[in-house]
Amino acid sequence: MNNHIKEQKEQTITSVSSPLPHKEGQRDKFTPILFLILGIFLGFVGYLFIDHHYYGSNSQHYQKSDTLHLADGSTYHGEISADRQPNGYGMLITTAGNRLTGEWKNGRLSKGTLLSDKDSYYGGLRNYVPDGYGKMTYGINDSTFIGRWHQGKRQGVGKLILSSDSIVFGRWDNDTLSLRNPFTIGERVYGIDVSRFQHSIDWGNLSLRSDSLGRICKDERSDGITGYYFGNAEVNYLQPVHFVFMKSTDGAYRIDPFYYRNHEAARECGIIVGIYHFLRYEPIEKQIENFIANVQMEKGDLPPVLDMEDDYKDHALTQHSVEYVSMALKWLHAIEAHFGVRPIIYMNKNNYLRFALGTELEEYDCWIANYNKTAQDPETECDWRFWQMSCKGTVNGIQYKDMSHVDLNVFHGNLKEFRKYVEKYGVK
């Protein structure tokens, strides 16, 4: 800026801001009074602003803690609305002594915690009783029911966990198990894996059709679900989904659009979660950063998984096999160092035999893909932990778009062994 213009500008500012002639003592006398008046005015304006914008003109967001004695004899302690209804976080004590805690809205609690003298419940609520999806822990025998409720009674798909290796699973009607499976739940531990291809998932209604021996059907035929691979063609029984592998990240920058939805919903339904990354022929440092930045792991999760496939776009596994395996090992080492958990690798049987044998990849647990046409476990040199037995499965609770299917998996062991594996090798 030109110095001459700058000096003229400063002189102009000085002349405009110069006060009118006054007596020094007179200015000092009125200054404190002016500040006091200004402070009162600003305080009043601030009060009006907060009252209108925070509490709202319709008082829906009004927050004030108080104790209410309701008409039904119950007592509420917590935040209330302007018309003195439970509104916000609070606890209600019923005449029976039950305690309901959670986030109230207009006098109603649609989801929260219900505690009685013996039992504890968390989930959907209506009229002070379980209604919707929720988890009840019974104090009498320490058993737990996870499933759907209607007017305080078990209704729909649910599982009753009796001990670490004993589960009752099926469809409940008016608090009674309507169909008891002829097999023992947990002899086989089944799961699924999901990604963006599964657009609509009702996590609280997941179940797998099986035959009377507990073997799930691996394929969907044009005339519906059949026991095509089994000698026993009846598939009228239900197996639970014990675990789910869900896709989180893909390559250097992609994130599965349904990962966060699946991540929250599966855990809420008591399903053991495993999270996988799809390895691409892209800068491996960026792929490591992508996974770490977007994945949240919790205690009890399965180990993270690296999905190693020969993608149809670049065929990196077959055309750049040495570099691809080297990239995979960098990812595995970095993820183990960051999360403190040794990852799992996912490969199909042929690629494992061709590219993993004789390399450091053999030291990692394997989730093997092998779609044979029998009900028998795959025989391979790979000491697999999980077997992806089908890519065309059907699952109750998952809707299909454009005839997409669900991958079906099984753990190499029973339920007790599965839980020991999660405890030993899963996230701490």
Side-chain angles (χ1 to χ4, degrees):
M1 182 182 293
N2 185 282
N3 290 335
H4 177 68
I5 298 176
K6 182 177 180 181
E7 289 174 0
Q8 286 185 334
K9 186 174 183 180
E10 289 175 348
Q11 291 173 359
T12 302
I13 294 174
T14 301
S15 63
V16 171
S17 60
S18 297
L20 295 174
H22 65 279
K23 296 180 180 179
E24 190 68 29
Q26 188 177 14
R27 184 181 65 175
D28 295 341
K29 178 180 179 180
F30 286 104
T31 297
I33 298 176
L34 291 174
F35 274 110
L36 178 61
I37 295 173
L38 181 62
I40 294 173
F41 175 76
L42 292 176
F44 180 71
V45 172
Y47 169 79
L48 292 177
F49 177 83
I50 293 173
D51 180 70
H52 180 76
H53 290 276
Y54 178 70
Y55 297 119
S57 57
N58 57 6
S59 299
Q60 290 183 350
H61 301 289
Y62 179 85
Q63 300 295 321
K64 178 182 178 181
S65 294
D66 205 345
T67 296
L68 303 178
H69 299 285
L70 305 182
D72 59 5
S74 59
T75 302
Y76 173 83
H77 307 277
E79 296 175 324
I80 64 172
S81 61
D83 56 355
R84 299 189 64 76
Q85 291 190 68
N87 197 67
Y89 188 81
M91 177 179 69
L92 181 141
I93 304 176
T94 68
T95 54
N98 297 333
R99 298 174 297 281
L100 294 100
T101 307
E103 195 74 25
W104 296 72
K105 185 176 181 180
N106 298 326
R108 298 179 181 275
L109 182 64
S110 59
K111 184 177 183 179
T113 300
L114 169 62
L115 299 176
S116 65
D117 291 339
K118 297 178 180 179
D119 308 328
S120 63
Y121 169 85
Y122 177 78
L125 292 163
R126 186 177 184 182
N127 297 328
Y128 303 168
V129 298
D131 198 280
Y133 194 86
K135 175 181 179 180
M136 176 76 80
T137 299
Y138 301 97
I140 297 177
N141 53 15
D142 291 328
S143 61
T144 300
F145 177 82
I146 304 176
R148 295 194 178 277
W149 298 77
H150 179 63
Q151 297 181 355
K153 295 182 179 181
R154 292 168 289 189
Q155 184 73 33
V157 172
K159 56 184 174 184
L160 180 62
I161 305 173
L162 301 174
S163 65
S164 61
D165 59 347
S166 179
I167 288 180
V168 177
F169 180 82
R171 191 174 297 277
W172 302 72
D173 183 19
N174 197 28
D175 220 30
T176 302
L177 185 63
S178 59
L179 176 63
R180 184 173 293 275
N181 297 307
F183 50 85
T184 300
I185 296 292
E187 292 178 349
R188 301 284 279 174
V189 179
Y190 292 109
I192 60 176
D193 57 277
V194 298
S195 64
R196 63 184 178 86
F197 296 107
Q198 286 71 50
H199 298 262
S200 177
I201 303 178
D202 182 359
W203 288 93
N205 198 38
L206 293 185
S207 60
L208 303 166
R209 297 282 296 277
S210 74
D211 67 0
S212 60
L213 299 178
R215 300 173 300 183
I216 65 173
C217 191
K218 295 170 60 177
D219 201 354
E220 180 188 23
R221 314 301 293 176
S222 59
D223 56 349
I225 301 175
T226 70
Y228 177 75
Y229 295 127
F230 306 120
N232 184 344
E234 295 183 0
V235 285
N236 298 321
Y237 303 97
L238 296 179
Q239 282 275 21
V241 174
H242 286 285
F243 63 91
V244 55
F245 288 113
M246 59 183 62
K247 185 177 183 179
S248 60
T249 48
D250 183 327
Y253 59 88
R254 305 169 196 85
I255 304 171
D256 190 275
F258 299 124
Y259 164 64
Y260 291 104
R261 175 202 72 179
N262 294 336
H263 177 270
E264 180 180 357
R267 286 201 177 100
E268 187 170 304
C269 293
I271 301 174
I272 303 298
V273 171
I275 303 170
Y276 73 89
H277 171 81
F278 192 98
L279 183 66
R280 292 193 180 275
Y281 195 61
E282 296 172 355
I284 191 59
E285 291 78 12
K286 293 295 183 181
Q287 299 195 61
I288 294 169
E289 292 174 4
N290 190 19
F291 188 82
I292 291 176
N294 290 287
V295 168
Q296 304 82 35
M297 291 190 172
E298 296 182 6
K299 181 179 180 181
D301 285 355
L302 288 166
V305 180
L306 182 62
D307 184 347
M308 301 176 61
E309 297 184 44
D310 196 25
D311 184 68
Y312 70 94
K313 292 182 179 179
D314 53 31
H315 299 286
L317 180 58
T318 54
Q319 296 185 9
H320 308 277
S321 58
V322 175
E323 187 175 357
Y324 189 83
V325 169
S326 176
M327 292 167 58
L329 291 173
K330 288 182 180 179
W331 190 94
L332 294 166
H333 294 160
I335 298 307
E336 182 175 1
H338 181 82
F339 291 100
V341 183
R342 191 168 183 80
I344 298 172
I345 61 171
Y346 167 89
M347 300 182 77
N348 69 43
K349 176 182 175 181
N350 293 333
N351 285 338
Y352 184 89
L353 296 178
R354 182 178 176 185
F355 301 109
L357 287 183
T359 73
E360 189 182 335
L361 293 176
E362 281 191 275
E363 300 176 9
Y364 292 85
D365 283 344
C366 184
W367 169 19
I368 198 77
N370 184 37
Y371 311 142
N372 56 27
K373 293 187 177 182
T374 71
Q376 304 300 318
D377 294 347
E379 297 181 0
T380 175
E381 290 81 350
C382 168
D383 184 19
W384 58 272
R385 291 285 190 175
F386 297 89
W387 166 34
Q388 189 181 86
M389 56 195 300
S390 174
C391 63
K392 295 182 179 180
T394 57
V395 181
N396 297 328
I398 298 182
Q399 297 180 5
Y400 308 102
K401 181 179 180 180
D402 301 329
M403 294 303 293
S404 63
H405 297 85
V406 184
D407 296 336
L408 303 177
N409 303 273
V410 63
F411 173 74
H412 203 173
N414 58 32
L415 181 58
K416 189 172 184 178
E417 292 168 328
F418 173 71
R419 287 177 169 162
K420 286 183 177 179
Y421 175 81
V422 175
E423 182 179 355
K424 183 176 181 180
Y425 298 104
V427 178
K428 304 296 189 291

